[in-house]
């Protein structure tokens, strides 16, 4: 078994608590669905936000999902690089899996598709 990282990112239109929480859940569910993982397989989730998002802790939304109460979650501020994508939420999901690196499906939604167009393929 390997420990693999699954990357994901999305954006919100406003620095709004409900929007941040809702988009975080949508992104996490898409990562889980595309990669067929469950919370028990997940070692931890790193969550970063750009500095313009301070209305909510995204981990709050994930923690409320069924089965996610014990998954270690950590929020942080993304490195503030001039000209970077605004209002962005990023996830790094560390999962135990038998999948090869090439089988991992990373998820980029909304404006975050610009970050990695090579990985932002639509869901199958």
């Amino acid at each position: 078994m390997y420990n693999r990282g699954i990357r994901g990112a999305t954006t919100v239109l406003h620095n709004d608590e409900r929007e941040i929480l809702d988009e975080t859940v949508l992104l996490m569910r898409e990562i889980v669905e595309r990669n067929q993982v469950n919370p028990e397989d997940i070692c931890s989730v790193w969550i970063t936000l750009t500095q313009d998002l301070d209305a909510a802790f995204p981990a709050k939304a994930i923690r409320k999902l069924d089965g996610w109460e014990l998954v270690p979650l950590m929020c942080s501020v993304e490195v503030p690089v001039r000209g970077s994508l605004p209002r962005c939420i990023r996830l790094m999901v560390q999962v135990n899996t038998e999948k090869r690196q090439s089988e991992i499906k990373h998820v980029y939604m909304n404006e975050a598709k610009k970050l990695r167009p090579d990985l932002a393929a639509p869901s199958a």
Side-chain angles (χ1 to χ4, degrees):
M1 187 159 291
Y2 304 99
N3 184 262
R4 302 283 190 207
I6 305 172
R7 294 179 56 177
T10 191
T11 56
V12 293
L13 296 174
H14 307 98
N15 182 26
D16 174 78
E17 179 180 19
R18 183 80 269 139
E19 191 176 352
I20 291 168
L21 298 178
D22 289 349
E23 284 298 323
T24 300
V25 168
L26 287 174
L27 178 58
M28 181 56 74
R29 285 186 172 150
E30 192 68 21
I31 288 170
V32 166
E33 183 178 314
R34 287 192 200 179
N35 290 282
Q36 301 171 336
V37 296
N38 63 60
E40 192 64 31
D41 299 327
I42 296 174
C43 302
S44 62
V45 180
W46 281 94
I47 307 159
T48 65
L49 299 99
T50 49
Q51 288 187 326
D52 51 6
L53 296 179
D54 62 3
F57 289 106
K60 177 180 175 181
I62 296 170
R63 212 171 272 118
K64 290 182 180 182
L65 298 173
D66 285 340
W68 289 81
E69 304 84 9
L70 300 177
V71 175
L73 306 167
M74 178 68 75
C75 294
S76 183
V77 177
E78 186 68 33
V79 176
V81 175
R82 212 172 326 130
S84 63
L85 185 65
R87 296 178 307 279
C88 188
I89 303 163
R90 291 174 172 89
L91 302 181
M92 174 65 76
V93 180
Q94 292 182 289
V95 61
N96 291 315
T97 182
E98 293 295 332
K99 292 181 181 181
R100 294 185 323 268
Q101 195 75 287
S102 62
E103 296 175 291
I104 298 296
K105 294 178 177 76
H106 305 282
V107 179
Y108 291 84
M109 300 167 59
N110 301 328
E111 292 296 308
K113 291 177 183 178
K114 296 175 184 175
L115 296 173
R116 289 296 303 263
D118 57 320
L119 298 178
S123 60

